[in-house]
């Protein structure tokens, strides 16, 4: 299983619109990626850091799961521009992206 994680840093002055992210943006992802191999999604909402009481380093981390790297690459080639354009609708920070192999 391959996971694409998109992390949104919670830096000073940053904004993150949860209503837009969980509504129109999530629907965009499902509409564009389901037929391109998306298996499932997970969304993490940052609530704190370590040590206890410190703010979270990220507003959110979105996870997109695909069976193979080939499916992920094909999906990204076809849809990346739409996701980049939509990002400004819910945040003013540049996202960080990591591709991982899920080993457990």
């Amino acid at each position: 299983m391959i996971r694409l994680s998109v992390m949104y840093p919670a830096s000073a002055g940053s904004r993150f619109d949860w209503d837009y992210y969980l509504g129109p943006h999530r629907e965009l992802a499902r509409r564009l990626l389901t037929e391109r191999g998306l298996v499932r999604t997970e969304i993490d909402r940052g609530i704190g850091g370590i040590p206890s009481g410190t703010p979270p380093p990220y507003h959110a981390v979105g996870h997109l799961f695909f069976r193979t790297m080939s499916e992920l690459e094909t999906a990204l080639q076809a849809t990346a521009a739409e996701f980049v354009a939509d990002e400004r609708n819910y945040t003013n920070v540049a996202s960080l992206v990591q591709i991982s192999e899920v080993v457990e």
Side-chain angles (χ1 to χ4, degrees), residues 33-85:
L33 299 175
T34 298
E35 293 183 11
R36 292 182 168 96
L38 180 68
V39 174
R40 75 176 198 274
T41 62
E42 292 180 2
I43 298 172
D44 302 340
R45 183 188 303 244
I47 59 171
I50 301 289
S52 182
T54 60
Y58 299 101
H59 291 287
V61 181
H63 305 284
L64 305 169
F65 294 83
F66 293 82
R67 286 183 185 85
T68 67
M69 188 65 173
S70 177
E71 285 179 333
L72 170 62
E73 289 172 340
T74 299
L76 288 178
Q77 288 172 354
T79 63
E82 289 176 81
F83 285 111
V84 169

